[in-house]
Amino acid sequence: MKTKVAIVKCRDYETIEVEQAVKRAFDLLGGIGVLVKKGEKVLIKPNMLSARPAEDGVCTHLEIIRAVLRMVKEAGAVPYIGDNPGGSVSPAKVYEGSGLLSLAKEEGVELKEVKGIKIVNNIPVASYVFECDKIISIPKMKTHSLMGLTGAVKNMFGVVAGLHKSELHKRFPSPEEFAKVLVDVFEVRKPDLVLMDGISAMDRQGPASGRLIYPGLLIAGEDSVAVDSVFTGL
């Protein structure tokens, strides 16, 4: 049985156009009702790298997150949002500076912060990752100065709690070493669904200082490796 990956065109981040494109992407995979069940708790995991506005292309665009939140609620599930930016900046400051805090208030959903840690395979992971029934990962399409690209698999590195991410970078500085770390973290809790924001993307010196380009695409799938393979091919 082959893995299915959906590629949908979306020209810009206008709310209605984004909602239609997200629905189309999920419908190509069988529909949100097949992927998310009524009453489930669903963690929405964007890439909120830093307290940068959406137009900088560093973080998952807020309108993509909004569209996914609304579709999950329409399916009768309960979404909440969680991510752990790297460095010394707290998630609360990133949530506020990126506009995600305002979005969460507008949509009436909870923003999670690390209140507890669970050690899995010697990796400290935010405990809220294990309190959900499903995870929807919403990575940003970008290059990465160390790993070449950052997509669906690497987006799950954000579940590592706080400054532990920086420590892992220091302990495993080469691409080969760090790739193994990414796989170990990814296998702690694989996302159930991926929607990659490639309406705008970043090349050259990603993930924070690169050039913005505009592929105008959303990529969706249940298999993160397949989504990243399609991203790489494109």
Side-chain angles (χ1 to χ4, degrees):
M1 212 172 153
K2 292 185 177 180
T3 298
K4 184 181 290 186
V5 175
I7 307 173
V8 173
K9 291 184 178 180
C10 188
R11 295 173 299 174
D12 56 45
Y13 290 105
E14 196 274 325
T15 301
I16 294 177
E17 183 164 352
V18 169
E19 287 184 346
Q20 291 174 343
V22 171
K23 183 178 185 303
R24 172 66 174 157
F26 288 166
D27 283 349
L28 289 170
L29 300 175
I32 191 66
V34 171
L35 305 166
V36 173
K37 302 301 182 183
K38 184 175 181 180
E40 288 184 328
K41 295 179 181 179
V42 181
L43 170 61
I44 307 299
K45 167 63 180 77
N47 181 349
M48 308 308 292
L49 180 64
S50 59
R52 300 272 293 274
E55 56 267 24
D56 285 0
V58 173
C59 301
T60 304
H61 199 282
L62 299 176
E63 290 304 321
I64 305 290
I65 301 170
R66 187 193 307 276
V68 174
L69 289 172
R70 290 179 175 179
M71 290 198 69
V72 169
K73 287 192 282 189
E74 286 174 7
V78 181
Y80 59 90
I81 304 168
D83 195 13
N84 294 290
S88 58
V89 180
S90 69
K93 289 183 178 179
V94 173
Y95 288 161
E96 182 176 6
S98 65
L100 191 59
L101 177 61
S102 296
L103 172 66
K105 289 179 179 179
E106 292 169 8
E107 297 299 322
V109 299
E110 182 182 3
L111 279 174
K112 291 285 188 177
E113 292 191 45
V114 180
K115 298 295 176 68
I117 295 174
K118 185 173 181 179
I119 306 296
V120 183
N121 298 331
N122 295 317
I123 300 169
V125 177
S127 58
Y128 63 72
V129 172
F130 305 100
E131 297 166 3
C132 61
D133 300 298
K134 297 282 177 62
I135 296 178
I136 299 179
S137 174
I138 319 180
K140 183 71 182 175
M141 183 186 286
K142 296 187 291 183
T143 52
H144 193 277
S145 56
L146 177 65
M147 301 310 299
L149 59 81
T150 170
V153 172
K154 192 176 184 303
N155 193 42
M156 294 310 294
F157 189 61
V159 305
V160 177
L163 293 173
H164 295 287
K165 285 194 289 298
S166 299
E167 179 63 27
L168 288 171
H169 270 291
K170 292 176 183 177
R171 287 173 55 198
F172 305 97
S174 74
E176 293 77 11
E177 291 176 313
F178 196 63
K180 294 177 181 178
V181 173
L182 292 179
V183 172
D184 287 344
V185 174
F186 175 73
E187 290 185 336
V188 167
R189 179 64 168 86
K190 297 177 184 179
D192 302 279
L193 179 61
V194 176
L195 178 70
M196 183 178 291
D197 172 11
I199 298 175
S200 71
M202 184 176 289
D203 72 354
R204 296 180 180 171
Q205 295 302 310
S209 303
R211 176 185 67 171
L212 278 187
I213 57 176
Y214 299 90
L217 298 174
L218 299 176
I219 306 176
E222 296 176 76
D223 184 327
S224 298
V225 176
V227 169
D228 279 351
S229 296
V230 170
F231 166 27
T232 305
L234 291 172

